Amino acid sequence: MQDSGVDPVAHNRAAWDKCVEDGNEWSRPVSAGAVERARGGAWSIVLIGRQPVDRSWLPADLTGKDVLCLASGGGQQGPILAAAGARVTVFDNSPRQLGQDRMVAARDGLDLRTVLGDMSDLGTFGDSSFDVVFHPVSNLFVPDLAPVWRECFRVLRPGGTLLAGFLNPDVYLFDHEALDERGELTVVHTLPYSDVARYSAEERATKFGAGAPLEYSHTLTDQIAGQLAAGFVIGGFAEAPHQSNASAQYMSHYFATLAVKPG
């Protein structure tokens, strides 16, 4: 079923633009009230599932820290970090996702920069440009992780931190429709999984909806050993269940790592 003619960057850019139009959960901007609370120091942001990230994973004082919100558009994490005092750049593949961040920045008077691009290529940024890279669950939308980790390492300053959320690859074993519609964990796929390798364009449209984002599973070797190979030291690990589907009662759906670029 290999659909080798697909450009995942172009496809997923259009797909996430449509997600904004459809009101996807991860495209709904934070409220003005949440921004105001963040200005006062009362804030939280999500890295995996709906679980607030451990505040100890971030600098105690964000004032003046350069933060890259990587593949993190949607008007959620970036504005909160900016309100907390960070100098924030939101980098995302979807113009409309970035538009949500710009909307919040204009509405609430935030100083926040947005940059369009593919998470695998951060060439627009110089070496050692950031103190923190905040990378919520989004690397399922790229076929190869190694460039992502190399670029994160390059743009971080020595002593800087990468907070990365990602999917437990085992969730891709199961039939999507059986899980979402009937709460059944029916094993149908081998791993690693790819929408493009598993289904034709017509099958994807029938199964997931026309224009749905393309997804790729990644092994834990690619996720964790990939960060180590890029030069990072892993300093923290967390997991969380899915916020709604049937997998939550059996397994952790999401993982997160805190990685440090040695100083």
Side-chain angles (χ1 to χ4, degrees):
M1 296 294 180
Q2 180 72 38
D3 191 353
S4 58
V6 174
D7 178 347
V9 174
H11 180 99
N12 282 343
R13 178 169 292 173
W16 272 98
D17 281 352
K18 185 175 186 302
C19 285
V20 176
E21 181 181 332
D22 293 342
N24 182 279
E25 176 180 4
W26 306 114
S27 302
R28 300 171 196 161
V30 295
S31 68
V35 170
E36 188 59 31
R37 290 190 293 275
R39 284 192 166 111
W43 59 269
S44 67
I45 52 175
V46 167
L47 181 62
I48 51 175
R50 292 191 180 134
Q51 179 174 294
V53 70
D54 186 337
R55 284 280 292 266
S56 72
W57 282 22
L58 288 156
D61 184 1
L62 284 168
T63 305
K65 297 294 185 182
D66 291 303
V67 177
L68 175 63
C69 290
L70 178 61
S72 181
Q76 299 182 357
Q77 298 96 1
I80 294 296
L81 291 169
R87 292 192 294 257
V88 173
T89 299
V90 182
F91 186 92
D92 199 274
N93 186 36
S94 162
R96 295 200 63 176
Q97 281 281 83
L98 292 174
Q100 301 293 69
D101 291 276
R102 290 193 295 271
M103 182 276 289
V104 176
R107 182 192 70 194
D108 298 328
L110 297 171
D111 185 9
L112 178 150
R113 177 170 64 143
T114 62
V115 179
L116 179 70
D118 170 22
M119 71 182 87
S120 301
D121 180 4
L122 303 182
T124 190
F125 306 119
D127 296 353
S128 303
S129 295
F130 299 98
D131 300 295
V132 176
V133 174
F134 189 87
H135 181 43
V137 180
S138 55
N139 68 31
L140 67 155
F141 301 116
V142 294
D144 184 11
L145 292 189
V148 178
W149 302 138
R150 287 196 300 267
E151 285 288 83
C152 286
F153 189 86
R154 182 184 65 80
V155 302
L156 275 170
R157 295 176 179 131
T161 52
L162 164 66
L163 285 71
F166 49 92
L167 284 182
N168 179 344
D170 289 351
V171 302
Y172 283 101
L173 289 168
F174 307 113
D175 180 80
H176 168 82
E177 291 171 311
L179 186 60
D180 288 353
E181 297 175 9
R182 301 186 296 278
E184 299 172 357
L185 275 67
T186 305
V187 174
V188 294
H189 300 136
T190 57
L191 300 180
Y193 166 85
S194 160
D195 281 342
V196 172
R198 180 67 176 83
Y199 299 109
S200 67
E202 293 75 17
E203 289 169 329
R204 292 196 303 271
T206 299
K207 197 168 187 66
F208 307 120
L214 297 173
E215 298 188 15
Y216 305 84
S217 82
H218 299 293
T219 66
L220 292 180
T221 297
D222 287 341
Q223 296 283 11
I224 297 174
Q227 293 180 50
L228 297 172
F232 286 105
V233 174
I234 304 295
F237 184 84
E239 53 190 302
H242 193 277
Q243 57 269 22
S244 59
N245 80 29
S247 70
Q249 61 183 308
Y250 301 106
M251 63 195 299
S252 294
H253 200 95
Y254 301 106
F255 298 140
T257 50
L258 171 65
V260 180
K261 179 175 180 174

